[in-house]
Amino acid sequence: MQMDNQITSKKVRSFCSFRYGLSLLLHLCNVALMAQNMCLNLTMVIMVNSTGPHSLPNTSTEEHLDNIKNPVYNWSPKIQGIIFSSIFYGVLITQIPVGYLSEKYSIKKMIGFSLFLSSLLSLLMPMAAEGGAAFLLACRVAQGVAQGSALISQHMIWVKWAPPLERGRLTTLSLSGNLLGSFIVLLVTGFICQSLGWPMVFYIFGACGCALSLLWFVLFYDDPKDHPCISISEKEYILSCLNQQVSSSTQSLPIKAMIKSLPFWAIAFGSFAFHWTNTIMVLYTPTFIKAKLHVNIKENGLLSALPYLFAWSFGILVGHLTDFFLSRNILRLITIRKLFNTLGLLLPAFFSLCLLYLSSSIYSMTIFLILASSTGSFCMGGVLINGLDIAPSFYGFLKGVTAVIGMIGRLISSTLCGVILNQDPESAWFKIFILMAVIDVLCLLFCLVFGKADIQDWAKGNQEHTRL
């Protein structure tokens, strides 16, 4: 039987198979979602007449921008800050309820309608801005709800579509779309604003999202056994691989047992550390570049975008390495998870400290900055997918809870860093990076000691216990 599975695997485990096409489609959907998420943060430089160009790449303040093409609004920095953060709260409130509902209802409809709603709101964003800050704020909160629903519900797809030996590649390919979307936004937003006006940024990304949502409704089915286009051999391969691992999700949520589970808290603390580190590197990279490298805005934009490109590459590499180690029986799954947790949490902290002590030139500083900002992607092979190992039946809910814990780390780190930079600019970066390293190490130790990669007793239900 095992030999038959290996033969079937060779026939259908190919990048031309339908499941890899599905992962690529989800990759593009994530590109659109992240582009819609980030673009306002960049266009705000031109939308508001009192804002200095601290974030927008490829844009020169010396050039005259036509007010018809680029409407300007008189919003205070306080109002801008509220608008920036509004989408975060929209995302936050959806994580746990949508994670739970994704186990019960159609993923096709949840992702399709969420992507379409987010894209429609992106198209309406310039009109909302004309109506005033309150309308724009409401639009961003609603967009956050839509994006949060799509981003958290998509994790349940791989419970039914990803054979265990291919989870790494399929999940990292789809999730890395978030990184590519960030890179594209940073790269092209300035050019679009200069040539077509900032409203076109929202129209372009909104239109792309609408087209992808329609494509999603046509191509995706919740279960491979119901899909009319997938080949019979691929369908049989997926169903045979997941026959004993996918439950009907009819059990009640074992919340009390989950709270008592140390492997669950290992994922939660790992997620906290990942989001803490990632938020610092994402939000404060332009500030660090400006303070330390003293480059112009175009160079700042390019340097801010490069880490996303490297992070995207590392993310896809992690997926291939994970499946390679598993398929060749080189490492056990738990060893792989702990390996990538170690790389994803220690390397950013290490390279951040290198920025402080080993950056003797602009070139070394640039290299360390890129590596510090991008190596967190190794967590895609660790805590960011570990929930699928320990509780596939409740993966949506578990992912929602750990995502909220990660967002708490994100909120605390962004606020605390702002306070530190404001109070003590001279030694601020030393304090920020040291604190980040301490949190990463402590959370990593917890992950290494208590992390697991087999289905937990509270998550089994009627499933057989499997250990990889």
Side-chain angles (χ1 to χ4, degrees):
M1 185 65 178
Q2 186 176 359
M3 182 65 68
D4 292 340
N5 285 339
Q6 289 177 351
I7 294 173
T8 306
S9 171
K10 291 179 181 178
K11 291 180 180 179
V12 296
R13 191 187 300 161
S14 123
F15 288 105
C16 297
S17 62
F18 191 87
R19 61 192 181 279
Y20 282 97
L22 172 62
S23 184
L24 181 60
L25 174 60
L26 192 55
H27 177 94
L28 296 176
C29 292
N30 284 330
V31 169
L33 285 169
M34 190 52 60
Q36 294 166 14
N37 183 296
M38 289 186 62
C39 61
L40 180 65
N41 297 6
L42 304 175
T43 58
M44 188 67 79
V45 174
I46 294 177
M47 292 171 66
V48 179
N49 56 12
S50 60
T51 305
H54 297 307
S55 303
L56 186 64
N58 311 314
T59 302
S60 173
T61 56
E62 298 176 358
E63 296 182 9
H64 175 68
L65 296 172
D66 185 9
N67 283 342
I68 297 176
K69 187 170 66 174
N70 289 286
V72 177
Y73 308 102
N74 189 25
W75 295 331
S76 67
K78 181 179 179 180
I79 294 297
Q80 294 175 52
I82 295 174
I83 293 172
F84 286 149
S85 62
S86 59
I87 196 169
F88 168 79
Y89 294 103
V91 172
L92 180 64
I93 62 176
T94 62
Q95 300 299 289
I96 295 178
V98 171
Y100 174 73
L101 293 174
S102 66
E103 301 167 2
K104 308 295 182 181
Y105 299 103
S106 170
I107 303 296
K108 176 178 182 174
K109 294 178 181 178
M110 293 181 75
I111 294 179
F113 284 122
S114 296
L115 176 58
F116 181 77
L117 178 59
S118 175
S119 303
L120 181 63
L121 289 169
S122 183
L123 293 172
L124 296 175
M125 209 72 72
M127 188 184 304
E130 281 294 321
F135 286 100
L136 183 60
L137 180 64
C139 201
R140 288 287 281 178
V141 172
Q143 191 176 48
V145 171
Q147 292 188 0
S149 300
L151 292 171
I152 200 66
S153 61
Q154 66 178 265
H155 293 281
M156 280 300 293
I157 290 173
W158 306 118
V159 174
K160 292 185 177 181
W161 276 93
L165 295 181
E166 299 177 33
R167 281 176 182 167
R169 277 171 290 180
L170 292 169
T171 55
T172 56
L173 176 60
S174 59
L175 291 175
S176 61
N178 295 316
L179 301 167
L180 186 61
S182 302
F183 172 74
I184 291 174
V185 166
L186 285 166
L187 204 61
V188 306
T189 298
F191 290 111
I192 296 175
C193 289
Q194 280 186 312
S195 57
L196 301 174
W198 66 258
M200 286 302 298
V201 175
F202 296 95
Y203 296 147
I204 291 172
F205 292 131
C208 290
C210 287
L212 285 168
S213 66
L214 296 177
L215 195 61
W216 177 264
F217 279 116
V218 172
L219 295 178
F220 180 72
Y221 281 68
D222 290 320
D223 200 310
K225 71 175 183 288
D226 300 325
H227 206 293
C229 299
I230 189 173
S231 68
I232 295 176
S233 60
E234 182 177 5
K235 184 185 301 185
E236 290 177 348
Y237 169 60
I238 295 174
L239 294 177
S240 65
C241 288
L242 300 177
N243 186 41
Q244 296 181 344
Q245 298 189 48
V246 180
S247 75
S248 60
S249 295
T250 56
Q251 308 112 293
S252 59
L253 272 174
I255 296 179
K256 188 177 295 186
M258 188 181 294
I259 292 175
K260 294 179 180 179
S261 172
L262 289 175
F264 162 76
W265 285 109
I267 297 173
F269 283 122
S271 181
F272 181 90
F274 169 78
H275 284 283
W276 180 290
T277 301
N278 189 60
T279 299
I280 291 175
M281 301 314 301
V282 168
L283 293 183
Y284 291 97
T285 289
T287 305
F288 181 85
I289 291 172
K290 182 184 176 184
K292 299 294 183 179
L293 299 182
H294 308 291
V295 297
N296 61 43
I297 190 64
K298 291 184 179 181
E299 293 170 338
N300 193 321
L302 179 60
L303 289 175
S304 299
L306 278 176
Y308 288 103
L309 182 62
F310 280 83
W312 174 74
S313 304
F314 288 151
I316 294 177
L317 175 64
V318 165
H320 282 78
L321 288 175
T322 298
D323 293 343
F324 175 79
F325 292 148
L326 278 178
S327 62
R328 301 295 192 279
N329 292 318
I330 297 174
L331 297 173
R332 293 191 307 140
L333 183 57
I334 183 60
T335 307
I336 294 171
R337 296 289 180 249
K338 291 182 178 182
L339 169 65
F340 286 120
N341 283 339
T342 302
L343 294 175
L345 294 178
L346 280 191
L347 289 182
F350 172 75
F351 289 122
S352 296
L353 295 178
C354 289
L355 278 171
L356 298 175
Y357 298 108
L358 300 179
S359 299
S360 57
S361 67
I362 187 173
Y363 301 106
S364 60
M365 186 172 290
T366 300
I367 292 171
F368 287 136
L369 182 65
I370 291 174
L371 291 174
S373 302
S374 61
T375 49
S377 293
F378 286 113
C379 283
M380 285 187 180
V383 291
L384 299 186
I385 191 180
N386 195 195
L388 186 54
D389 305 320
I390 70 168
S393 302
F394 306 105
Y395 183 44
F397 180 77
L398 189 150
K399 189 67 181 179
V401 174
T402 54
V404 168
I405 294 173
M407 287 183 179
I408 293 173
R410 180 176 170 182
L411 184 61
I412 295 174
S413 67
S414 60
T415 304
L416 187 59
C417 287
V419 171
I420 294 175
L421 283 168
N422 186 56
Q423 291 182 347
D424 188 11
E426 293 297 324
S427 60
W429 294 111
F430 172 81
K431 294 178 180 178
I432 289 171
F433 291 146
I434 288 293
L435 179 61
M436 184 179 79
V438 170
I439 289 174
D440 284 349
V441 170
L442 291 177
C443 291
L444 175 62
L445 289 175
F446 194 93
C447 290
L448 294 177
V449 174
F450 298 109
K452 300 292 183 183
D454 46 22
I455 299 177
Q456 299 300 291
D457 292 338
W458 51 266
K460 287 180 194 174
N462 296 323
Q463 299 180 34
E464 289 189 16
H465 180 64
T466 57
R467 182 184 298 270
L468 292 175

